[in-house]
Amino acid sequence: AKDEPNSAVRHRGAVRRIIAAGSGAVSAGDDCAVLAWAWGGEGPARPLGRHADFVRGLAAGSTTVLSGGWDKTVREWTL
């Protein structure tokens, strides 16, 4: 359908954070997943990894993203 996302990978809970990162964006939320997205819907989202609890913070570097969760961890992911 026209309004369906151009992706086979999607969040399974509320999205709480989305930031520009690298050549696209990174999103995270209540499903504990951290996903990388290409601008313009080119291809599916790429899972970067997961936390053991909700993700509430994201910060982007030039080639990495940091995520922070209610599991009391900060994790680093390569874009």
Side-chain angles (χ1 to χ4, degrees):
K2 183 178 180 184
D3 294 334
E4 285 295 312
N6 185 16
S7 174
V9 178
R10 60 193 309 173
H11 282 283
R12 293 192 171 120
V15 175
R16 303 293 182 170
R17 297 285 180 268
I18 186 164
I19 60 169
S23 61
V26 173
S27 61
D30 290 354
D31 61 358
C32 309
V34 180
L35 302 178
W37 302 84
W39 291 123
E42 297 173 11
R46 181 172 56 94
L48 295 177
R50 299 185 62 80
H51 278 262
D53 207 340
F54 301 147
V55 181
R56 291 294 184 262
L58 291 173
S62 59
T63 59
T64 61
V65 171
L66 296 176
S67 60
W70 283 11
D71 59 1
K72 302 176 186 163
T73 65
V74 174
R75 298 179 184 224
E76 183 177 17
W77 313 100
T78 301
L79 293 172

